[in-house]
Amino acid sequence: MSVSQSNLSSAKYGYDFVVATTQSSVNATLKEFMSAMTEPVVVACYVADVNGNPVPIDYATLVQQANGSDPFTVPNGADPNINQDLKNLFAARFMTGFKAQIGLPPGIPPTSIPDVVTLTGDTSSVTYNLMCSEFTVVEYKAGGFAPPSWMNLSQQPGSPWLFTSKVDLRLLTTDQSDYSKLPPAVQAQIKNLGGNAFSVQQLLFDLDNAALETTPTISGVDPSSNLYACLQKYFLDTYYTALQQNGQPVLGCNVSQSTVPPATLTLTDLNFETSPYLGTNGQPVVNPTPDQQGLYTLNYLCAANGNTLPAPSQFGWNWMEPADEANFDGVIAINRNTFANFFASQLPDYVSSNCYLSNVRVYMDGLDVDYSWSLTPYQTPTVSQPASGAVVLSYSYSSTASDKAGLNGDMGQMTLSPSFTLTVSFTGNTIVIVQHLVIYLRVQVMQTSADGNVVDKTITDTYTLAVDDNGNLTASLSSVPVDNSQTPSTNGFLNFFTGLNAIISDIATWTRNFTQTNFTDIPVSDLQSFVFPGGKTFAFKDAAFSDNQDLTTHITYVDPS
């Protein structure tokens, strides 16, 4: 089971293309990005209202109202009865505050840093670990039956505080998901359809968005401690719950847009799904090993050019196999019909230039018989896209014209019948385009006639595909032309009396000269104008068609910075 079985044109799927990246590669790239990211430090402070409930206050405003006292500079365990800063903060009704910055926690060997994201068999959600490079919590307890107290504690190197939640990545507007309830502007931020749609920066933004998450659980902090109670009450229950209402990032994570190479397929809708690793029986492996868990994939289900995005449906194959993991981070697969439609948009002018409407006239001019003929190009062919098999696109056109002179044509007759076919096949790492142009001619002078294919040409173009690092499709052409054209004739004795051979030769020569300028190889530039999506996020490694003719390429993340 591998990407060679990709079958996006199946009625079960129907996505224009899919981007699938493994859990291992997502985590490695997220950690690389987070190790160098410079997200802002988020500061949140709360003061008591008239009923003693916490309400947010701007940090700078708090310091001003507390006569310049900064709660984050007051040492842990300071005595509220004698410390002037704490007296000032008490007068300003200060309750609690925290200062945090998203990033990798310090003091942990890279191999021991927890995964940022864990994919599960639940295709609608992932597990996310919010980690911080720094986190400080301060709290003033005014006392009551106990004396007042002051806490100022920070995450220590090697002992990270983790906030683990489930993130619902179903970005659908037709259900009652949290995403569907958000304002359109916030939905657009989460479902980024721009050039950074597949970046780990965007993924981190989505994972860190409170509207998509369950309320996190805390690890790395003693559940019986005042610190745990403070984090639970204020960071999660108060701060976090407020963010869930408007769908903002928990710790200010943002995505900076950048210029990216334009892709041929314009992304117009997307959704997420996860794929567990499947065994040889086609079912998810029970109790997967760490290596198999690493091959779980996060799938971007994509619609292009305004097409409707089908609902998520579990794939029946693995996007990545163990042999792939050492060299690639994932794959992009493009629906056979979507890529065939790309050809359908490239070929019409060329194809129609080889579709000829024939016209003939045979008439008496005194005692002589005259023959006239014409071929008019740019006719409309019949187009079909087979649902299965190597042939993904075919064109056909034919016409016929006949005329005669004299009684029942006893003085002269002529028939001219052009036909043109073109098929496009996807197989292996090649595109094979076969063209066949035939022009049948029959001419009769009195009782003598001759007929045959004055044009019978076939061109078989085989394009071997590759893709460069920027996602541009490249192709090398091997062309095999075959010319079976003939000039029909009669024997010399009969021709002496009729002049038939000369008439046929004139028609054949004209027909060949008229058609040869249009009947050529398909330009390689038509193929090389195709650009894969994700050119800023990924480097591309190869190009090949699946057994079901989806165009696939392996990908690796580029430097996320």
Side-chain angles (χ1 to χ4, degrees):
M1 294 192 182
S2 66
V3 68
S4 64
Q5 294 178 282
S6 179
N7 189 18
L8 299 184
S9 61
S10 165
K12 184 179 179 181
Y13 307 114
Y15 319 114
D16 285 312
F17 63 99
V18 170
V19 179
T21 53
T22 65
Q23 176 178 303
S24 294
S25 63
V26 167
N27 278 303
T29 310
L30 276 170
K31 291 175 185 179
E32 182 182 358
F33 172 65
M34 293 173 67
S35 69
M37 67 190 295
T38 55
E39 294 296 323
V41 175
V42 174
V43 182
C45 296
Y46 294 88
V47 294
D49 65 10
V50 294
N51 297 314
N53 297 314
V55 292
I57 185 173
D58 177 71
Y59 173 49
T61 302
L62 169 69
V63 174
Q64 181 182 24
Q65 292 182 0
N67 294 321
S69 295
D70 183 343
F72 296 100
T73 63
V74 180
N76 184 52
D79 188 346
N81 294 311
I82 61 176
N83 185 286
Q84 186 58 49
D85 286 323
L86 292 182
K87 291 180 180 180
N88 293 340
L89 289 167
F90 178 74
R93 306 180 66 84
F94 178 75
M95 299 180 71
T96 190
F98 67 85
K99 181 186 293 186
Q101 182 179 36
I102 192 171
L104 294 185
I108 304 177
T111 55
S112 299
I113 296 174
D115 280 343
V116 181
V117 60
T118 301
L119 310 180
T120 67
D122 180 358
T123 61
S124 66
S125 65
V126 302
T127 300
Y128 168 57
N129 281 321
L130 170 63
M131 295 182 281
C132 295
S133 56
E134 65 171 274
F135 205 126
T136 298
V137 177
V138 292
E139 181 185 31
Y140 187 105
K141 283 190 174 181
F145 294 106
S149 62
W150 174 253
M151 180 179 69
N152 183 339
L153 295 175
S154 298
Q155 172 185 268
Q156 296 301 301
S159 301
W161 302 348
L162 300 180
F163 302 89
T164 304
S165 59
K166 287 280 190 180
V167 183
D168 186 348
L169 290 177
R170 292 173 297 178
L171 306 185
L172 298 175
T173 57
T174 55
D175 60 15
Q176 296 303 310
S177 67
D178 291 330
Y179 172 81
S180 69
K181 302 171 187 176
L182 294 172
V186 178
Q187 290 186 19
Q189 277 185 296
I190 296 173
K191 187 185 285 190
N192 171 22
L193 301 179
N196 296 82
F198 312 116
S199 68
V200 291
Q201 294 94 321
Q202 177 65 41
L203 178 60
L204 186 60
F205 175 87
D206 292 347
L207 292 171
D208 192 54
N209 196 285
L212 305 181
E213 297 184 28
T214 60
T215 300
T217 58
I218 308 170
S219 59
V221 179
D222 182 358
S224 65
S225 65
N226 289 335
L227 171 61
Y228 189 95
C230 182
L231 286 171
Q232 181 67 56
K233 181 177 181 180
Y234 294 109
F235 178 63
L236 297 186
D237 294 350
T238 301
Y239 171 77
Y240 202 98
T241 301
L243 292 182
Q244 285 183 315
Q245 303 304 312
N246 55 19
Q248 294 303 309
V250 178
L251 291 180
C253 179
N254 61 73
V255 180
S256 57
Q257 294 296 328
S258 57
T259 302
V260 298
T264 300
L265 302 175
T266 301
L267 178 65
T268 52
D269 201 1
L270 69 81
N271 201 356
F272 288 97
E273 179 185 71
T274 64
S275 288
Y277 187 74
L278 305 180
T280 55
N281 62 356
Q283 298 300 312
V285 172
V286 179
N287 300 320
T289 66
D291 287 343
Q292 291 171 331
Q293 177 68 44
L295 288 169
Y296 279 44
T297 55
L298 178 66
N299 309 322
Y300 298 78
L301 313 178
C302 302
N305 305 328
N307 295 331
T308 300
L309 182 67
S313 182
Q314 185 60 54
F315 294 108
W317 59 87
N318 291 319
W319 288 109
M320 293 279 285
E321 292 289 350
D324 302 323
E325 191 174 20
N327 300 310
F328 311 115
D329 292 333
V331 297
I332 292 178
I334 298 175
N335 188 314
R336 66 175 271 153
N337 294 332
T338 303
F339 194 57
N341 287 337
F342 164 74
F343 272 89
S345 70
Q346 301 288 309
L347 295 178
D349 188 66
Y350 172 80
V351 171
S352 65
S353 72
N354 286 289
C355 297
Y356 297 100
L357 177 66
S358 58
N359 182 64
V360 299
R361 185 183 177 210
V362 183
Y363 58 95
M364 299 297 299
D365 183 8
L367 297 178
D368 297 325
V369 180
D370 284 349
Y371 298 82
S372 67
W373 61 88
S374 67
L375 294 172
T376 304
Y378 293 100
Q379 304 305 311
T380 302
T382 298
V383 186
S384 65
Q385 287 186 234
S388 61
V391 175
V392 298
L393 191 61
S394 66
Y395 297 84
S396 63
Y397 179 83
S398 63
S399 71
T400 188
S402 299
D403 199 14
K404 57 189 177 180
L407 181 63
N408 296 320
D410 60 354
M411 297 302 297
Q413 299 181 27
M414 180 177 174
T415 299
L416 190 63
S417 302
S419 65
F420 177 75
T421 61
L422 183 148
T423 60
V424 179
S425 301
F426 297 162
T427 179
N429 66 336
T430 64
I431 296 173
V432 181
I433 301 177
V434 180
Q435 310 172 63
H436 190 197
L437 177 63
V438 175
I439 299 179
Y440 168 79
L441 173 66
R442 179 182 182 278
V443 178
Q444 179 176 322
V445 177
M446 291 184 288
Q447 300 305 309
T448 303
S449 66
D451 70 297
N453 293 332
V454 294
V455 175
D456 186 352
K457 294 182 178 180
T458 302
I459 300 176
T460 302
D461 292 331
T462 300
Y463 298 88
T464 301
L465 302 183
V467 61
D468 66 20
D469 281 349
N470 295 319
N472 298 297
L473 194 66
T474 64
S476 58
L477 170 63
S478 172
S479 182
V480 179
V482 176
D483 190 347
N484 292 319
S485 305
Q486 57 177 289
T487 302
S489 64
T490 187
N491 64 55
F493 178 78
L494 293 175
N495 182 62
F496 177 80
F497 292 100
T498 63
L500 177 61
N501 289 351
I503 297 173
I504 290 176
S505 179
D506 285 347
I507 298 173
T509 299
W510 178 89
T511 300
R512 291 167 188 158
N513 291 338
F514 184 78
T515 59
Q516 69 180 357
T517 56
N518 287 338
F519 191 66
T520 63
D521 295 315
I522 303 297
V524 174
S525 59
D526 287 350
L527 276 175
Q528 295 183 158
S529 65
F530 187 88
V531 181
F532 279 92
K536 184 68 176 180
T537 302
F538 304 114
F540 301 81
K541 298 301 178 182
D542 50 29
F545 292 103
S546 73
D547 296 341
N548 299 291
Q549 289 71 50
D550 289 347
L551 178 60
T552 69
T553 177
H554 285 98
I555 53 176
T556 58
Y557 281 106
V558 298
D559 183 351
S561 62

